[in-house]
């Protein structure tokens, strides 16, 4: 939390729950008061179409307190619950000892609830301001590049070849102007030894085979006109309409222009904000690509056995190694034992890799 200051008597242990609502939406804030000091805060946001009534709030609190190991002596509300919701929550709280759930009418507890309501309002306003700024910025990019849709999700691709002739393509993702690392993917190019255009085409074709990953509003490729026209024709074949641009570098290795599939260059140096933004994307994508190869080379030979299993990504590898301790133990594990650690499809892939004739699968890393 922020600077801790005393807001109530030192024996006060309470969560203060406040709501702020207007025509555009609402926020529910929880202030954690421990020993009379606000030690932490959380806030939940709801769109205008979600009406915050007693039932909605009760299910929110129910979920919220299911995840917390500690429930304080008092839960203070800034609103009235329906009697049946009140008794449902009280029954839930009874599991963790005596918890009083009520709406304080006066005194420092009442002030705590008011403070929580102010917190809800301030955070909601701040969130909207940030969103408005982001939207304005994305709208600026859209008009500069002639896009019809705000580029809320941007995917950037970089092909990299390491010394051992191993080609990969890294995909980085930006959502609402921020990098979202858990959405990144690395494609191990299957058809090794082909040129970069073909490698990029393979990666994006495989990417399009994953409708469960939201399609982007904009593709950015690390490369010039050749890359872009290759991918544009792939998108045309698939009937997918997503704008695609190449990032063309100057001799200092900074993106100086974006190039269209028709080979038209759009200079971005005159647009400082866009220039910085594209530079950031290009750097992040390049860093991910280089970082990936570096990781591959510093790994021991053992870990890399797991890397060859189709459909097993870095997170699953980590999970398996953590549970079994070594590749040797994973190799010796039974299918049921593997299934306890990773989902059954992944467990089967691991088991088959070590025990059966390798099967071809289409899952990405």
């Amino acid at each position: 939390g922020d600077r801790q200051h005393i807001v109530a008597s030192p024996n006060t242990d309470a969560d203060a729950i406040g709501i702020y609502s207007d025509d555009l939406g609402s926020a529910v804030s929880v202030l954690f008061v421990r020993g009379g000091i606000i030690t932490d805060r959380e806030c939940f946001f709801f769109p205008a179409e979600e009406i915050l009534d007693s039932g909605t709030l009760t299910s929110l609190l129910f979920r919220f307190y299911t995840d917390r190991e500690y429930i304080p002596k008092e839960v203070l509300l800034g609103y009235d619950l329906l009697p049946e919701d009140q008794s449902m929550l009280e029954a839930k709280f009874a599991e963790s000892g005596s918890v009083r759930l009520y709406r304080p009418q006066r005194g420092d507890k009442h002030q705590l609830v008011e403070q929580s309501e102010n917190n809800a309002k301030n955070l909601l306003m701040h969130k909207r301001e940030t969103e408005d700024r982001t939207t304005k910025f994305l709208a600026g990019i859209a008009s500069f590049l002639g896009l019809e849709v705000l580029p809320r999700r941007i995917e950037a691709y970089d092909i990299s070849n390491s010394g051992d002739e191993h080609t990969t393509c890294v995909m980085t993702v930006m959502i609402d102007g921020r990098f979202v690392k858990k959405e990144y993917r690395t494609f191990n190019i299957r058809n090794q030894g082909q040129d970069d255009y073909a490698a990029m085409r393979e990666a994006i074709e495989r990417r399009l085979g994953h409708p469960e990953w939201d399609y982007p509003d904009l593709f950015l490729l690390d490369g010039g006109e050749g890359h872009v026209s290759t991918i544009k024709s792939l998108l045309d074949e698939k009937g997918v309409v997503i704008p695609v641009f190449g990032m063309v570098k100057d001799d200092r290795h900074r993106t100086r222009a974006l190039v269209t599939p028709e080979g038209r260059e759009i200079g971005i140096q005159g647009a400082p904000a866009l220039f910085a933004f594209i530079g950031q994307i290009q750097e992040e994508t390049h860093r991910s690509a280089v970082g990936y190869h570096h990781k591959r080379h510093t790994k021991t030979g053992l870990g890399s056995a797991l890397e060859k299993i189709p459909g097993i990504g870095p997170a699953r590898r980590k999970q398996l190694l953590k549970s079994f301790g070594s590749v040797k133990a994973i190799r010796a594990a039974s299918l049921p034992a593997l299934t306890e650690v990773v989902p059954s499809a992944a467990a089967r892939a691991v088991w088959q890799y070590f025990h059966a004739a390798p099967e071809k699968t289409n899952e990405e890393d």
Side-chain angles (χ1 to χ4, degrees):
D2 44 0
R3 291 187 315 284
Q4 301 192 339
H5 53 279
I6 296 170
V7 290
S9 65
N11 60 355
T12 306
D13 253 6
D15 288 351
I17 295 165
I19 297 175
Y20 172 80
S21 275
D22 59 22
D23 295 345
L24 298 174
S26 17
V28 177
S29 141
V30 186
L31 295 184
F32 303 92
V33 182
R34 302 292 180 262
I37 292 169
I38 295 177
T39 57
D40 206 356
R41 56 186 57 194
E42 270 201 51
C43 201
F44 303 91
F45 302 101
F46 298 88
E49 49 283 8
E50 188 139 4
I51 305 299
L52 284 192
D53 55 18
S54 178
T56 318
L57 290 160
T58 300
S59 64
L60 170 71
L61 291 185
F62 207 89
R63 284 199 307 275
F64 180 71
Y65 284 109
T66 300
D67 295 340
R68 305 199 76 84
E69 45 262 37
Y70 176 75
I71 301 178
K73 292 196 281 282
E74 298 185 306
V75 175
L76 313 170
L77 305 176
Y79 51 88
D80 294 310
L81 287 176
L82 292 171
E84 62 268 28
D85 289 332
Q86 174 99 15
S87 49
M88 185 170 128
L89 281 170
E90 280 173 352
K92 162 134 200 84
F93 290 154
E95 299 163 12
S96 17
S98 63
V99 177
R100 212 179 142 215
L101 172 77
Y102 69 104
R103 179 178 190 170
Q105 300 302 326
R106 65 187 70 81
D108 56 6
K109 308 255 167 90
H110 178 65
Q111 277 173 330
L112 278 177
V113 167
E114 286 193 331
Q115 199 171 335
S116 192
E117 288 165 351
N118 281 332
N119 185 51
K121 178 177 180 174
N122 293 339
L123 289 174
L124 185 60
M125 296 306 159
H126 177 69
K127 178 174 186 274
R128 283 179 193 161
E129 259 167 56
T130 314
E131 283 169 359
D132 289 347
R133 270 203 305 276
T134 303
T135 301
K136 272 205 189 81
F137 179 68
L138 296 176
I141 293 176
S143 76
F144 192 88
L145 297 179
L147 310 177
E148 289 170 23
V149 179
L150 281 192
R152 289 207 170 276
R153 181 183 172 103
I154 298 174
E155 290 179 5
Y157 292 79
D158 190 357
I159 295 288
S160 68
N161 306 290
S162 67
D164 62 358
E165 293 307 294
H166 184 84
T167 305
T168 53
C169 180
V170 162
M171 152 183 153
T172 56
V173 180
M174 239 193 183
I175 297 175
D176 284 335
R178 279 204 168 85
F179 293 113
V180 182
K181 292 200 163 44
K182 66 176 199 307
E183 300 267 334
Y184 292 12
R185 297 290 181 269
T186 299
F187 297 88
N188 284 310
I189 298 305
R190 299 192 175 129
N191 192 352
Q192 293 293 336
Q194 56 185 3
D195 64 27
D196 279 4
Y197 296 158
M200 183 78 83
R201 186 190 155 100
E202 180 191 317
I204 291 186
E205 184 160 13
R206 279 161 59 187
R207 184 266 171 268
L208 293 171
H210 284 277
E212 75 280 9
W213 308 345
D214 296 334
Y215 274 7
D217 304 306
L218 173 64
F219 277 125
L220 292 176
L221 314 178
D222 192 273
E225 187 191 339
H227 279 105
V228 189
S229 55
T230 303
I231 296 314
K232 175 76 169 92
S233 58
L234 168 67
L235 295 173
D236 290 346
E237 277 166 40
K238 303 262 180 212
V240 174
V241 185
I242 297 171
V244 53
F245 292 88
M247 298 182 277
V248 187
K249 300 187 198 64
D250 61 15
D251 41 19
R252 293 188 20 234
H253 217 75
R254 307 241 320 257
T255 302
R256 61 172 174 79
L258 293 177
V259 63
T260 69
E262 299 74 44
R264 185 168 65 88
E265 279 197 8
I266 302 175
I268 57 174
Q269 275 147 325
L274 180 59
F275 181 65
F277 182 68
I278 298 290
Q280 220 189 334
I281 292 177
Q282 183 218 323
E283 246 165 68
E284 171 72 3
T285 310
H286 191 66
R287 187 195 60 73
S288 301
V290 171
Y292 176 79
H293 278 295
H294 182 68
K295 263 203 320 256
R296 280 190 78 246
H297 286 296
T298 49
K299 271 225 173 96
T300 58
L302 272 180
S304 61
L306 295 180
E307 289 193 358
K308 298 196 182 81
I309 306 176
I312 302 294
R316 296 259 188 271
R317 286 201 289 274
K318 220 185 200 154
Q319 235 173 336
L320 287 161
L321 284 165
K322 203 172 143 190
S323 299
F324 291 98
S326 71
V327 176
K328 208 166 143 188
I330 297 170
R331 181 183 283 137
S334 68
L335 186 54
L338 292 164
T339 311
E340 280 178 19
V341 178
V342 291
S344 58
R348 197 168 299 116
V350 173
W351 192 87
Q352 275 176 340
Y353 179 79
F354 288 124
H355 297 84
E359 282 189 24
K360 275 199 129 27
T361 82
N362 293 323
E363 283 180 40
E364 302 308 345
D365 269 358

